[in-house]
Amino acid sequence: MILFPAIDLKEGQCVRLLKGEMDSATVFNDDPGAQAKLFQDAGCAWIHVVDLDGAFAGEARNGDAVDRILEAVDVPVQLGGGIRDMAAVDAWLEKGIARVILGTVALRDPELVKAACARHPGRIAVGIDARGGMVAVEGWAETSSLSAVDLARKFEGCGVAAIIFTDIDRDGALGGVNVQATADLANAISTPVIASGGVASLEDLAALKAAGAPGIAGAISGRALYDGRIDLAEAVGLMAEPAKEGPRC
């Protein structure tokens, strides 16, 4: 499994939100490039970046900060937030982003996701953010009537590289990752699933590895890395170890 350290961008700074609320932002670093370099130097093989302002605006708002991240590191970067049309997908991939994450548009226009996968094989991920099991969009400001599993199933077989599943109610709250919901999703589809939201300890990462869901390909962690609850080097090492089979979720 892969550990994806998270860089959430708001007004050019690295922040973390509590349960997706923009007015709850805590600034952890005002230099996104330097933060990305710290993650790379600690052994991280990927970096996960979200343009929070872009997610609300529906278009890029932290392009300069993303550029600084790309200049600072050699490891692949995946980016989400406000990417809603093919032109934006093309532009980010041409700029050097390794994988684009499509969230709101996956619900609004699933055919665009499928077209993007055909055009850029292996470079499109779908972000599914759920509140109470139901998909939330527009920077988590709206909750739909579609379940996370049902949305994920729409993209089976079309070449989506990964489903990034976030439990909004746990995001930034350090209350523990929702292992059961993540495993249920991973066991319901063939697309790899990356867990997000609430990863607060090495025990959370170990629980994901032992969940009996081979489809869980990795986990995203943010606040717990920034405040030292998770030692980054230990986490990278743990995720690289072979999974120890536990009770199947």
Side-chain angles (χ1 to χ4, degrees):
M1 289 173 61
I2 297 171
L3 177 69
F4 295 80
I7 296 178
D8 289 356
L9 299 170
K10 182 176 185 288
E11 298 175 357
Q13 298 176 309
C14 304
V15 307
R16 293 304 292 169
L17 305 185
L18 178 61
K19 300 183 179 180
E21 298 295 332
M22 286 290 272
D23 60 3
S24 69
T26 301
V27 177
F28 283 98
N29 196 326
D30 60 6
D31 187 338
Q35 184 63 59
K37 185 68 162 53
L38 287 172
F39 286 145
Q40 175 180 275
D41 291 348
C44 294
W46 277 81
I47 293 174
H48 174 80
V49 179
V50 177
D51 180 348
L52 293 174
D53 301 303
F56 281 89
E59 60 184 14
R61 285 288 187 266
N62 284 281
D64 290 343
V66 176
D67 288 344
R68 293 200 297 276
I69 291 170
L70 291 173
E71 291 167 1
V73 299
D74 301 315
V75 296
V77 175
Q78 63 182 22
L79 172 69
I83 304 172
R84 309 265 170 96
D85 56 42
M86 191 68 81
V89 171
D90 292 343
W92 281 120
L93 294 178
E94 289 170 6
K95 185 170 281 194
I97 290 296
R99 187 155 66 196
V100 162
I101 306 164
L102 301 179
T104 293
V105 74
L107 179 67
R108 305 283 195 232
D109 188 2
E111 293 307 312
L112 174 63
V113 176
K114 295 175 183 179
C117 288
R119 188 162 174 163
H120 301 288
R123 302 186 71 187
I124 306 297
V126 169
I128 298 182
D129 306 329
R131 180 180 285 114
M134 310 308 288
V135 177
V137 293
E138 304 293 347
W140 300 351
E142 298 177 19
T143 303
S144 75
S145 59
L146 188 69
S147 74
V149 172
D150 286 341
L151 179 58
R153 283 176 171 154
K154 289 179 179 287
F155 304 108
E156 286 284 80
C158 76
V160 169
I163 298 290
I164 297 172
F165 174 65
T166 302
D167 183 337
I168 296 170
D169 293 324
R170 301 195 183 209
D171 190 70
L174 299 172
V177 67
N178 192 333
V179 176
Q180 184 68 57
T182 305
D184 288 347
L185 177 60
N187 286 327
I189 61 177
S190 61
T191 307
V193 173
I194 298 171
S196 178
V199 176
S201 65
L202 290 173
E203 288 72 22
D204 285 330
L205 297 176
L208 285 169
K209 288 176 68 71
I216 301 177
I220 294 167
S221 182
R223 183 178 292 269
L225 294 177
Y226 288 103
D227 69 12
R229 289 172 186 257
I230 294 179
D231 180 274
L232 186 51
E234 286 187 51
V236 170
L238 172 65
M239 297 292 270
E241 294 174 0
K244 296 178 182 178
E245 189 72 20
R248 192 172 183 84
C249 289

